Amino acid sequence: MLKETIKVACSSCNLRELCMPVGLNTQELIRVDELVATRRTVKRGAALFHTGEKFTSLYAIRSGFFKTGITTEDGRDQVTGFQMAGEIIGLDGIVNEQHTCDAVALEDAEVCVMPFDRIEEISREVNALQHHVHKIMSREIVRDHGVMLLLGSMRAEERLAAFLLNLVQRLQARGFSKSELVLRMTREEIGSYLGMKLETVSRTFSKFADDGVIAVKQRNIHILDADALKRIVNVPQCH
Amino acid sequence: MLKETIKVACSSCNLRELCMPVGLNTQELIRVDELVATRRTVKRGAALFHTGEKFTSLYAIRSGFFKTGITTEDGRDQVTGFQMAGEIIGLDGIVNEQHTCDAVALEDAEVCVMPFDRIEEISREVNALQHHVHKIMSREIVRDHGVMLLLGSMRAEERLAAFLLNLVQRLQARGFSKSELVLRMTREEIGSYLGMKLETVSRTFSKFADDGVIAVKQRNIHILDADALKRIVNVPQCH
DNA sequence: CGTCGCTTTGATTATATTCAACAATGGTGG
DNA sequence: CCACCATTGTTGAATATAATCAAAGCGACG
């Protein structure tokens, strides 16, 4: 039974190029397969972890879709990211040994649980893993800086266009269509992530649709003119 | 001569609690002292590194004050952070082996150059250093999420109040006054960081001054009522 | 002492928010 | 299977907020 849940080793997982370092030898592969202690399923709407919970592990998403976000005492909240298969969540918890955000599944999901002390232990022996962990954290930092750019310097249309392009690009890397996507999150969650109100998100979708750039049918988005979206993102703030 | 420039070892540096892990034994201290290859001085206005440059090292700020920022092809730019003594910069470069931002000194500065391959090597032997590196990266991620919250959910007054409180808190941790500070950056740089125009920054300073919360004399800020600033940050976005 | 970069302030305009009403959708239980 | 409800999404009108444009003031520095 337990065996059943950990049947697929990292070394034979189809997401391994996303989560794992490449170019390992047999010996190293065996070590790295020990990273994943267990699997865990998370139902839609449930949290993988909450702010304040003790940090013990990083999680590699095997299937499903998550949002992470912070909530302040005064009720403000901010979605800090949307994560899909192959991505790693929980990095925020390392510094203070407790999570600083909530991770909530936006659809039924399964994650690989990687105890962080085990990651550190195996990292000392497998150089490629050590470097891989550093790269994952650095990538998250670079991503965050990109979000700052978006929030700090783009107008609503630019933000939403950038958001759609980013999503579709990540989906494409996972073998999905580069023109069709299903949003797993509400307009409000998109708005929280992009620093705008849900009404503005809705209006902006409608405008893109009016302009023939996308077709919107609830959460199904069809990108009709990707170049137009790219042009919207790149329009320099004129005047 | 060379010896002169590396005279102060990390183990006897007065900033060591900020950059380095604590609780090392003698053996470990010796290893960790090998981290810093050289020192480098950076004149006010000069860059420590530029976007696109090959990444080789992390830098610990020994003295001075930096800004980091990204610039896009279309001329948009975003200050992603301001860094002071004891803080580490360059983490963004790990993932693609090249820097993704510019780091510019806002006053004459000196940094400790820590070649990243050496960091990884010593990390494998000194567990406390390994964990310390992970914590530093995680801390940067958490900080970035805080900036997202600020940019995504706060109004101008709230952003500037939060900015001042953050700066003064970090300065205080370094032994400076908790009520007086000298801004090393222009209104435009503050605005870029906070996602607002320089005029709005200026107006907001003036408003705080009118309200008796701070006194502003060019770049000298005197915080007269820290609690008021805290209240401004925490005011829930009413109606 | 004049120039240049930075800052302040005012008036106007652009942009997104807020408030409000209504429509569409999906899930639930009768 | 259908009706109902809660949730989510759309749209309009009024308003708040910050951006833009413009002009003038201040300070540091040569």
Side-chain angles (χ1 to χ4, degrees), chain A residues 154 158 161-162 165 228-236, chain B residues 74 76:
Chain A
M154 292 185 182
E158 295 166 340
L165 288 170
L229 280 183
K230 285 171 196 156
R231 262 179 273 123
I232 290 168
V233 174
N234 286 326
V235 169
Chain B
D74 50 301
R76 231 188 276 275

Side-chain angles (χ1 to χ4, degrees), chain A residues 44 154-157 195-197 199-200 203 217-218:
Chain A
R44 189 164 97 92
M154 292 185 182
R155 56 187 61 260
E157 287 184 27
M196 48 207 256
K197 296 293 158 188
E199 294 96 326
T200 308
R203 272 184 243 279
K217 197 176 178 187
Q218 289 298 116

Side-chain angles (χ1 to χ4, degrees), chain B residues 101-148:
Chain B
C101 67
D102 299 321
V104 174
L106 296 180
E107 58 182 11
D108 291 355
E110 189 183 21
V111 301
C112 302
V113 180
M114 304 181 289
F116 192 64
D117 51 9
R118 201 180 290 189
I119 291 176
E120 290 193 329
E121 183 192 324
I122 301 177
S123 276
R124 279 176 231 130
E125 298 165 25
V126 181
N127 294 5
L129 178 64
Q130 177 192 38
H131 194 60
H132 190 71
V133 171
H134 293 152
K135 282 173 73 165
I136 284 171
M137 300 190 78
S138 176
R139 181 179 300 128
E140 174 66 14
I141 291 169
V142 171
R143 185 194 74 83
D144 291 348
H145 289 175
V147 176
M148 286 184 209

Side-chain angles (χ1 to χ4, degrees), chain B residues 50-216:
Chain B
H50 283 106
T51 303
E53 260 177 37
K54 183 160 173 55
F55 166 80
T56 61
S57 306
L58 297 182
Y59 304 92
I61 302 174
R62 219 178 118 61
S63 65
F65 199 94
F66 285 84
K67 68 167 176 179
T68 50
I70 46 184
T71 307
T72 60
E73 324 76 59
D74 50 301
R76 231 188 276 275
D77 72 79
Q78 175 71 26
V79 170
T80 54
F82 296 108
Q83 297 83 14
M84 54 181 76
E87 298 179 332
I88 307 292
I89 45 188
L91 299 169
D92 59 279
I94 298 169
V95 62
N96 293 316
E97 295 193 334
Q98 66 178 45
H99 289 287
T100 61
C101 67
D102 299 321
V104 174
L106 296 180
E107 58 182 11
D108 291 355
E110 189 183 21
V111 301
C112 302
V113 180
M114 304 181 289
F116 192 64
D117 51 9
R118 201 180 290 189
I119 291 176
E120 290 193 329
E121 183 192 324
I122 301 177
S123 276
R124 279 176 231 130
E125 298 165 25
V126 181
N127 294 5
L129 178 64
Q130 177 192 38
H131 194 60
H132 190 71
V133 171
H134 293 152
K135 282 173 73 165
I136 284 171
M137 300 190 78
S138 176
R139 181 179 300 128
E140 174 66 14
I141 291 169
V142 171
R143 185 194 74 83
D144 291 348
H145 289 175
V147 176
M148 286 184 209
L149 176 74
L150 181 144
L151 290 171
S153 81
M154 292 187 183
R155 56 187 58 261
E157 288 185 26
E158 295 165 341
R159 293 180 199 190
L160 193 62
F163 172 73
L164 288 175
L165 287 170
N166 174 269
L167 263 191
V168 84
Q169 176 253 309
R170 285 154 67 200
L171 287 167
Q172 196 184 355
R174 284 157 182 79
F176 294 96
S177 166
K178 65 176 170 183
S179 61
E180 309 249 19
L181 70 154
V182 179
L183 301 173
R184 302 298 169 177
M185 69 296 280
T186 65
R187 304 292 192 256
E188 185 169 25
E189 287 161 339
I190 296 171
S192 173
Y193 182 59
L194 298 179
M196 49 207 257
K197 294 293 158 189
L198 68 94
E199 295 95 327
T200 307
V201 174
S202 178
R203 272 184 243 278
T204 308
F205 273 133
S206 298
K207 178 169 189 314
F208 287 173
D210 289 348
D211 294 350
V213 175
I214 63 175
V216 184

